[in-house]
Amino acid sequence: MPVEREKYSRAIEDYLKIIFELLEASGRVSTKQIAEALDVKPASVTGMLQKMSAFKPALVNYRKHHSVSLTPEGRDIALRVIRRHRLIERFLQETLGFSWDKVHEEAHRLEHVVSDEFEKRVAEVLGDPEFDPHGSPIPTRELEMPEHSQKPLSELDKRERAYIREVPDEDEGLLLYLEEVGVVPGARIEVLERSPYDGIMTLIVMGQLQNAVLGPSITRRVFVEKKR
Amino acid sequence: MPVEREKYSRAIEDYLKIIFELLEASGRVSTKQIAEALDVKPASVTGMLQKMSAFKPALVNYRKHHSVSLTPEGRDIALRVIRRHRLIERFLQETLGFSWDKVHEEAHRLEHVVSDEFEKRVAEVLGDPEFDPHGSPIPTRELEMPEHSQKPLSELDKRERAYIREVPDEDEGLLLYLEEVGVVPGARIEVLERSPYDGIMTLIVMGQLQNAVLGPSITRRVFVEKKR
DNA sequence: ACTATTTATTAGGCTCACCTAATAAATAAT
DNA sequence: ATTATTTATTAGGTGAGCCTAATAAATAGT
Ligand SMILES: [Mn+2]
Ligand SMILES: [Mn+2]
Ligand SMILES: [Mn+2]
Ligand SMILES: [Mn+2]
């Protein structure tokens, strides 16, 4: 049975979402990171963290100058928003024909206003998709995040082959470029070259005429998996 | 060419929309009416009217204790929001299978956050529909409101026949009832009886087993047209 | 025309989510 | 260890959009 849920503000939903994502990516979160990700000042983040930790039930565990983590309640909200975001991205792409570089921003706005009914129907229409257009897993109806055993493209050695699994979703220009060179989820690639100092990698992308040349700021955020 | 548009707040969009609708329905708008429609206090409406009339360009013409009207700019915003609202209602119904009593509330939230791109694609997918699920006309891309020559059901005499054109969209309970008795846009009806004092009307609805009995608070807000 | 009622406006506050500037704590460099 | 740098927190403000209570204007009733 769906729990009787309070309605939290857009701001709080975005904070919880980004905290979840930062924790998932690197295991820890700093005030500064949150501030940069949300494009607000660190002072604002401190204020919001204090507020969210004072909520009943608390949404975050906060020890000043030390750690930030999510309470079960906060995690739940984060996962709900992430589920909506990713479902909406898929929906925009499949049902409305949005290109993959445009879905993120639109979903970022819609994720805060759609009802449970909307979410349910979108999931139905799409047939409960497992991934968003950038390859990120969509939390299930029960808010379980599917495990994805993948590693950064930057860790592949020369001659190694793999499948692209997930690409960063916020940078529209990057997405346009990645699409052009065929570095999209599901693509099969082989590392043709990697320079040891600057980390630039040259990839053969199956089915593409040209090779893809990517710097480390990209390859560290593109994830691959060995098996299909 | 789409004009470079400022982004107005949700609150302002809702004020302008409701002012437009009240003006359209009865030719004039009072502070009290707006307050009731938006579920805020009259003092808040006064404040907002003053703010909107002080905008450059102004969104409303406001003379205290006297009239409120929309400037061309204000009217434009109202029509944009109304177009979105009604397109979204159709979309929710047709593409996501929402029932007609649930679409209004959802659209009321979505109308403020969807992009021009979203609006354009929804219109395309639906094939530029002319009416929302309750029979209200959808302003065109050029923001022209289609004329609809219709009159209240309450003005029909006994024996008169007509087609249902438009029903009020805010009251979910009423919508469920109207659907049950078949009083939906396009339905052909005949006035079987109307009591002169309390205004209660009994209708024969083509294709329905039972007659529909409706009080004046409803029949004044249901619109009909003679020709098909 | 005067009075009662209804409607609208002003004045003053409140909450939310942000800001800047000043200060303090943690971390890195010498 | 001391100092410099980076990061985080506090203190005090701002604007949007709402509120209540007090007052004023418009309208209706006699
Ligand atoms: Mn995204
Ligand atoms: Mn968001
Ligand atoms: Mn509606
Ligand atoms: Mn609205």
Side-chain angles (χ1 to χ4, degrees), chain A residues 73-85:
Chain A
E73 177 78 9
R75 195 186 132 89
D76 239 58
I77 298 160
L79 281 167
R80 290 172 74 81
V81 179
I82 290 169
R83 173 169 163 84
R84 282 176 184 185
H85 178 97

Side-chain angles (χ1 to χ4, degrees), chain A residues 51-66:
Chain A
K51 215 169 70 172
M52 291 191 299
S53 70
F55 263 75
K56 35 184 177 79
L59 304 179
V60 298
N61 303 117
Y62 169 66
R63 284 173 38 237
K64 82 163 69 158
H65 290 293
H66 292 81

Side-chain angles (χ1 to χ4, degrees), chain B residues 40-56:
Chain B
V40 298
K41 301 293 158 181
S44 305
V45 174
T46 300
M48 194 55 121
L49 288 174
Q50 289 169 347
K51 215 169 70 173
M52 291 191 299
S53 69
F55 261 77
K56 38 187 172 77

Side-chain angles (χ1 to χ4, degrees), chain B residues 85 89 104 134 169:
Chain B
H85 179 97
E89 283 190 346
H104 178 76
H134 317 103
D169 66 350

Side-chain angles (χ1 to χ4, degrees), chain B residues 84-133:
Chain B
R84 283 177 183 185
H85 179 97
R86 294 181 182 172
L87 274 175
I88 290 166
E89 283 190 346
R90 264 301 269 272
F91 183 68
L92 292 172
Q93 188 181 47
E94 310 236 318
T95 308
L96 291 178
F98 272 67
S99 61
W100 83 333
D101 57 303
K102 297 289 191 333
V103 298
H104 178 76
E105 198 194 336
E106 190 90 25
H108 194 16
R109 279 177 273 112
L110 287 169
E111 66 195 2
H112 308 291
V113 304
V114 303
S115 64
D116 288 354
E117 171 100 1
F118 185 99
E119 174 192 316
K120 206 192 84 209
R121 289 183 181 273
V122 163
E124 270 170 20
V125 165
L126 296 177
D128 286 306
E130 295 184 45
F131 300 97
D132 80 9

Side-chain angles (χ1 to χ4, degrees), chain A residues 168-219:
Chain A
D169 66 350
E170 347 73 44
D171 184 339
E172 294 187 19
L174 174 59
L175 286 172
L176 283 174
Y177 173 66
L178 289 179
E179 184 171 45
E180 205 172 299
V181 298
V183 176
V184 299
R188 180 144 183 68
I189 56 106
E190 177 180 332
V191 180
L192 182 63
E193 207 63 69
R194 54 172 301 167
S195 64
Y197 288 111
D198 56 14
I200 287 172
M201 298 176 80
T202 306
L203 309 178
I204 297 168
V205 185
M206 304 307 162
Q208 293 290 123
L209 300 172
Q210 290 212 305
N211 292 332
V213 183
L214 303 174
S217 70
I218 296 169
T219 57

Side-chain angles (χ1 to χ4, degrees), chain A residues 2-224:
Chain A
V3 177
E4 185 65 56
R5 296 222 166 258
E6 266 187 70
K7 177 68 183 152
Y8 296 97
S9 71
R10 269 155 256 267
I12 285 175
E13 288 187 345
D14 276 338
Y15 272 91
L16 292 172
K17 183 168 67 133
I18 214 68
I19 292 169
F20 182 94
E21 285 171 351
L22 290 170
L23 280 171
E24 211 190 25
S26 68
R28 65 213 165 65
V29 215
S30 68
T31 300
K32 197 193 175 206
Q33 278 180 303
I34 298 171
E36 271 163 12
L38 295 178
D39 196 27
V40 298
K41 301 295 159 182
S44 305
V45 174
T46 300
M48 194 56 122
L49 288 174
Q50 288 170 348
K51 215 169 70 172
M52 291 191 299
S53 70
F55 263 75
K56 35 184 177 79
L59 304 179
V60 298
N61 303 117
Y62 169 66
R63 284 173 38 237
K64 82 163 69 158
H65 290 293
H66 292 81
S67 63
V68 176
S69 63
L70 293 174
T71 64
E73 177 78 9
R75 195 186 132 89
D76 239 58
I77 298 160
L79 281 167
R80 290 172 74 81
V81 179
I82 290 169
R83 173 169 163 84
R84 282 176 184 185
H85 178 97
R86 294 181 181 172
L87 274 175
I88 289 166
E89 284 190 346
R90 264 299 270 271
F91 183 68
L92 293 172
Q93 187 181 48
E94 310 235 318
T95 309
L96 291 178
F98 272 66
S99 60
W100 84 332
D101 56 304
K102 297 292 193 329
V103 298
H104 178 76
E105 198 194 335
E106 190 89 26
H108 194 17
R109 278 178 274 111
L110 287 167
E111 66 196 0
H112 309 290
V113 304
V114 303
S115 64
D116 287 354
E117 172 99 1
F118 185 100
E119 175 192 316
K120 206 192 85 208
R121 289 183 180 273
V122 164
E124 269 169 21
V125 165
L126 296 177
D128 286 306
E130 295 184 45
F131 299 96
D132 81 8
H134 317 102
S136 304
I138 300 175
T140 65
R141 233 182 277 269
E142 291 76 29
L143 300 185
E144 267 144 48
M145 182 69 99
E147 262 320 303
H148 41 318
S149 66
Q150 54 187 194
K151 58 179 179 183
L153 171 55
S154 58
E155 290 180 10
L156 287 188
D157 290 322
K158 187 168 175 175
R159 298 274 101 186
E160 273 198 283
R161 293 177 179 187
Y163 293 95
I164 302 292
R165 276 288 107 92
E166 193 173 349
V167 302
D169 66 350
E170 347 73 44
D171 184 339
E172 294 187 19
L174 174 59
L175 286 172
L176 283 174
Y177 173 66
L178 289 179
E179 184 171 45
E180 205 172 299
V181 298
V183 176
V184 299
R188 180 144 183 68
I189 56 106
E190 177 180 332
V191 180
L192 182 63
E193 207 63 69
R194 54 172 301 167
S195 64
Y197 288 111
D198 56 14
I200 287 172
M201 298 176 80
T202 306
L203 309 178
I204 297 168
V205 185
M206 304 307 162
Q208 293 290 123
L209 300 172
Q210 290 212 305
N211 292 332
V213 183
L214 303 174
S217 70
I218 296 169
T219 57
R220 260 185 275 110
R221 293 183 302 148
V222 170
F223 294 89
V224 299

